[in-house]
């Protein structure tokens, strides 16, 4: 997707993107209460603890909800509409905004099992996307 604006990692999210570039999906898990944090942030929303570890995730989940975009909201998307924008609920319980690949948009369904795949989107960014299983 040449020209599409990509995520800009910050101090908190850089490790997430580094793991994606290595083909690993990881999330912060609170070192105090064990709640997952996503997007990455400096403190736990539940207990306020700054402690965390980057935990490997299964990459498996389901489509929690989705929308089909019929309008190109950015010029780089003109050739890609209609496309599906999904929220995936991972087995570990956290949710990610992403896209479904290799699936016609009219076959995307809530509850559809999916597995993460990684799509290199530039020198610095590899995006976690999902395909049905
Ligand atoms: Zn916590």
């Amino acid at each position: 997707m040449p020209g599409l604006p990509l995520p800009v990692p910050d101090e908190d999210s850089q490790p997430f993107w580094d793991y994606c570039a290595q083909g690993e999906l990881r999330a912060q898990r609170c070192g105090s209460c064990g709640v997952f944090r996503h997007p990455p942030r400096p403190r736990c929303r539940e207990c306020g603890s700054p402690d965390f570890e980057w935990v490997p995730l299964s990459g498996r989940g389901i489509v929690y909800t989705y929308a089909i975009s019929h309008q190109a909201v950015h010029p780089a998307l003109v050739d890609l509409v209609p496309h599906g924008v999904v929220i995936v609920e991972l087995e570990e319980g956290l949710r990610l905004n992403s896209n479904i690949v290799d699936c016609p948009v009219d076959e995307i369904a809530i509850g559809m099992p999916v597995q993460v795949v990684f799509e290199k989107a530039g020198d610095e960014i590899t995006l976690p996307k999902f395909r049905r299983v």
Side-chain angles (χ1 to χ4, degrees):
M1 286 184 239
L4 191 68
L6 295 172
V8 178
D10 61 18
E11 182 180 343
D12 296 317
S13 66
Q14 184 68 58
F16 174 82
W17 297 110
D18 289 344
Y19 285 121
C20 283
Q22 298 168 30
E24 283 188 69
L25 190 62
R26 292 192 183 218
Q28 291 178 331
R29 186 170 61 195
C30 179
S32 179
C33 75
V35 165
F36 280 102
R37 302 181 204 172
H38 190 80
R41 58 180 70 95
R43 291 189 173 273
C44 176
R45 71 181 187 290
E46 296 296 325
C47 74
S49 171
D51 300 329
F52 66 89
E53 57 180 339
W54 286 98
V55 176
L57 304 173
S58 67
R60 292 185 300 270
I62 60 163
V63 172
Y64 178 76
T65 192
Y66 69 98
I68 306 300
S69 178
H70 292 272
Q71 293 187 330
V73 295
H74 186 278
L77 295 172
V78 166
D79 294 333
L80 297 175
V81 291
H83 68 272
V85 179
V86 299
I87 296 178
V88 168
E89 184 170 86
L90 296 168
E91 286 181 344
E92 292 83 359
L94 67 164
R95 296 175 186 158
L96 267 70
N97 295 349
S98 186
N99 300 108
I100 300 290
V101 298
D102 301 329
C103 180
V105 292
D106 60 354
E107 294 180 17
I108 298 172
I110 290 173
M112 186 172 81
V114 292
Q115 171 74 45
V116 73
V117 294
F118 293 95
E119 188 175 285
K120 192 168 172 57
D123 293 339
E124 305 292 326
I125 294 294
T126 298
L127 297 170
K129 297 199 172 183
F130 290 85
R131 64 174 162 75
R132 65 181 158 181
V133 290

